[in-house]
């Protein structure tokens, strides 16, 4: 396939030290936090929190009115490499670089975006959703791509299928990656295998996930809380549902197991994450937080609608051991 963007790939240039640095850090840390922020006043405290947590990379999406100001404020932190995400035009590339972005992430494959990034010596990570799009990207000598939207495209199974055919490619999965599907994404995105667990995830043992989390926290020493759901799929509509979490202070804690849930909507993952975060923000303790997350996920999955169908009162009652009767 001919290269429609020219014959001088900047990715192979030895003197592009900025590009090599970003790629090296990405390869080492394997995580890019994605930030959607419209208040520039919150940018500096967030930058400080990220670097304090051992995360030297961040992607600020260009989906808000003040994205440029947010990039500019976060880029003032010398310990943080700031990139611009959701970039879809050469004009946005110019704005991002002027604000201090060191790399650009696009949701798709745009020749204009790639060309402008190369003119400015800026690392670009284009998005792909199919093998055809990936082949087009490879024709430009780019080998690090964003798989988007990862979960709707099939998640880990799609990622593994593409990786088998294109072993030279480094994937950055985005879209639907959360604490909810960590049982898959710790492996797919970070490379941490869950011992004695099959790819089909039909028999999820908490002790096996604890060993995986031990490995994660050993490598990422600044992590303070790690949590994952334990969803065993019995059929298209019946799931066993559980969760566990870890923190420095509490070690491992387990949510109440709920076998045989009749799933009506697959919104348990986001609901788990929001319940967990609510509990942590309320200083309720790790065990209560993971119970809130598991209860919220269980209610949301078994109630027609979206994650907002379960009220706080209902979540707290179920997490506390009461029934799931609606509280309106």
């Amino acid at each position: 396939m001919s290269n429609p963007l020219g014959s001088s790939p900047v990715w192979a240039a030895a003197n592009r030290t900025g590009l090599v640095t970003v790629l090296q850090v990405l390869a080492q840390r394997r995580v890019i936090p994605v930030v959607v922020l419209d208040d520039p006043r919150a940018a500096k405290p967030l930058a400080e929190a990220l670097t304090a947590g051992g995360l030297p990379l961040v992607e600020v999406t260009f989906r808000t009115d003040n994205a440029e100001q947010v990039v500019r404020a976060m880029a003032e932190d010398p310990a943080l490499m700031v990139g611009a995400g959701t970039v879809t035009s050469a004009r946005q590339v110019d704005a991002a670089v002027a604000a201090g972005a060191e790399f650009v992430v696009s949701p798709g494959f745009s020749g204009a975006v790639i060309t402008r990034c190369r003119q400015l010596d800026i690392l670009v990570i284009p998005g792909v959703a199919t093998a055809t799009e990936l082949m087009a990207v490879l024709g430009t000598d780019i080998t690090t791509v964003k798989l988007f939207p990862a979960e709707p495209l099939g998640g880990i199974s799609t990622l593994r299928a593409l990786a088998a055919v294109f072993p030279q490619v480094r994937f950055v999965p985005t879209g639907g990656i959360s604490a909810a599907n960590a049982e898959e994404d710790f492996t797919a995105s970070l490379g941490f295998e869950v011992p004695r667990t099959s790819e089909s995830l039909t028999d999820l043992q908490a002790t096996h996930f604890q060993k995986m989390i031990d490995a994660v926290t050993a490598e990422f020493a600044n992590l303070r809380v790690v949590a994952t759901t334990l969803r065993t799929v019995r059929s298209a509509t019946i799931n066993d549902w559980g969760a566990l979490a870890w923190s420095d202070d509490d070690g491992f804690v387990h949510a109440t197991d709920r076998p045989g849930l009749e799933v009506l909507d697959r919104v348990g993952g986001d609901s788990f994450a929001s319940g967990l975060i609510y509990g942590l923000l309320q200083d309720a303790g790790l065990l209560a937080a993971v119970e809130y997350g598991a209860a919220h996920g269980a209610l949301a999955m078994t109630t027609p609608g979206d994650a907002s169908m379960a009220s706080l009162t209902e979540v707290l009652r179920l997490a506390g051991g009461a029934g799931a009767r609606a509280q309106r």
Side-chain angles (χ1 to χ4, degrees):
M1 179 182 294
S2 63
N3 184 344
L5 303 178
S7 57
S8 57
V10 299
W11 288 53
N15 62 341
R16 316 281 187 173
T17 56
L19 305 188
V20 172
T21 299
V22 172
L23 288 176
Q24 286 176 337
V25 172
L26 175 58
Q28 179 188 32
R29 305 312 297 169
R30 293 181 285 184
V31 175
I32 304 180
V34 178
V35 171
V36 183
L37 186 62
D38 196 38
D39 184 359
R41 295 172 298 180
K44 287 187 177 180
L46 179 57
E48 293 171 359
L50 289 170
T51 55
L55 295 171
L57 288 173
V58 65
E59 174 190 333
V60 178
T61 65
F62 264 48
R63 299 196 317 229
T64 67
D65 293 337
N66 294 317
E68 291 177 47
Q69 294 94 311
V70 172
V71 169
R72 186 172 289 107
M74 297 188 80
E76 292 179 0
D77 190 327
L80 190 64
M81 294 180 176
V82 182
T86 323
V87 173
T88 59
S89 68
R91 180 189 61 79
Q92 287 183 319
V93 173
D94 289 338
V97 174
E102 297 184 60
F103 62 96
V104 164
V105 182
S106 181
F109 173 61
S110 166
V113 169
I114 293 175
T115 297
R116 189 57 181 150
C117 286
R118 286 182 161 173
Q119 291 170 346
L120 298 175
D121 290 353
I122 291 294
L123 170 68
V124 57
I125 302 176
V128 300
T130 66
T132 300
E133 293 172 355
L134 182 50
M135 290 172 67
V137 170
L138 289 174
T140 70
D141 300 299
I142 292 174
T143 56
T144 300
V145 300
K146 169 179 178 173
L147 181 65
F148 178 81
E151 281 302 309
L153 289 173
I156 190 171
S157 59
T158 298
L159 181 60
R160 284 175 170 157
L162 290 172
V165 179
F166 302 100
Q168 74 274 39
V169 174
R170 182 182 298 275
F171 293 93
V172 183
T174 308
I177 307 298
S178 72
N181 40 37
E183 64 264 26
E184 296 181 359
D185 295 323
F186 270 118
T187 300
S189 302
L190 300 178
F192 291 97
E193 297 287 344
V194 182
R196 300 173 62 187
T197 300
S198 68
E199 291 185 7
S200 62
L201 302 176
T202 54
D203 183 21
L204 304 185
Q205 298 293 323
T207 54
H208 300 163
F209 280 82
Q210 289 179 194
K211 292 178 180 179
M212 181 269 293
I213 292 173
D214 283 338
V216 171
T217 56
E219 180 159 341
F220 295 91
N222 288 320
L223 285 175
R224 293 295 174 263
V225 176
V226 180
T228 180
T229 58
L230 300 173
R231 181 205 299 270
T232 300
V233 178
R234 301 300 180 188
S235 71
T237 58
I238 302 297
N239 287 184
D240 295 342
W241 178 253
L244 66 89
W246 169 93
S247 75
D248 262 343
D249 295 331
D250 299 283
F252 286 99
V253 297
H254 299 257
T256 302
D257 289 324
R258 295 181 173 88
L261 289 187
E262 186 174 359
V263 176
L264 300 180
D265 283 292
R266 287 295 298 271
V267 292
D270 291 341
S271 302
F272 169 74
S274 61
L276 174 76
I277 293 168
Y278 171 82
L280 295 174
L281 291 175
Q282 293 295 312
D283 289 327
L286 186 63
L287 178 58
V290 75
E291 287 285 12
Y292 293 169
H296 192 202
L299 286 170
M301 286 193 299
T302 56
T303 306
D306 59 20
S308 67
M309 298 304 293
S311 70
L312 176 59
T313 300
E314 291 166 342
V315 171
L316 295 180
R317 281 176 53 84
L318 185 59
R325 179 183 295 274
Q327 301 291 316
R328 298 289 186 252

